Structures are given as structure tokens and as C-alpha cells.
Amino acid sequence: MKINASYTPIIAPQQRLQNSQSAQAGAERNEAESRLRELIAQKHAEFDSFRPAEELGKHLDLRA
């Protein structure tokens, strides 16, 4: 039996709803991952510019 190349199976409404929900969940996950990557990059930049208190205190006159 041959199937026409233009044949598309009928999708039940419940199945269509599940597909849209999974697509929405995937979009939310991608957005959350990108926010997490931005936050990680920001924290890495903060750690790269971090200077210990001892190094910062070298230039202070604390004889008061």
C-alpha cells in the first residue's frame, strides 16, 4: 500500500495542546538558560576584578 507524499496525519486537539505546551516550556527553558549564562558571566567579571581587602588597605593610612 502506498501513502501519498502530501498526506499528513490528523492531530487530535489534546495532542496539539501538548505540542504547544512543550514548545512553550522549551522557550521558557531557553530563556532561563540565557539568563543564567548572563548571570554567570557577570559573576565571573566580578571575581576577575576582585581585590582582597589586604591589597586595598595597603594604600590607606590607618594610624588614627
Side-chain angles (χ1 to χ4, degrees):
M1 179 168 109
K2 291 186 177 181
I3 297 176
N4 190 349
S6 64
Y7 170 76
T8 55
I10 298 172
I11 298 175
Q14 183 180 10
Q15 196 175 18
R16 196 176 302 136
L17 179 62
Q18 288 174 346
N19 289 345
S20 66
Q21 286 175 342
S22 64
Q24 186 179 19
E28 289 176 4
R29 179 185 171 112
N30 288 341
E31 183 181 336
E33 285 179 357
S34 66
R35 281 186 284 158
L36 184 59
R37 283 192 185 98
E38 290 173 7
L39 183 60
I40 290 171
Q42 178 184 356
K43 291 299 178 185
H44 277 289
E46 288 176 13
F47 289 138
D48 289 343
S49 64
F50 176 75
R51 293 171 53 188
E54 295 82 13
E55 184 180 331
L56 295 172
K58 282 195 282 189
H59 307 290
L60 297 176
D61 185 8
L62 301 175
R63 289 179 282 173

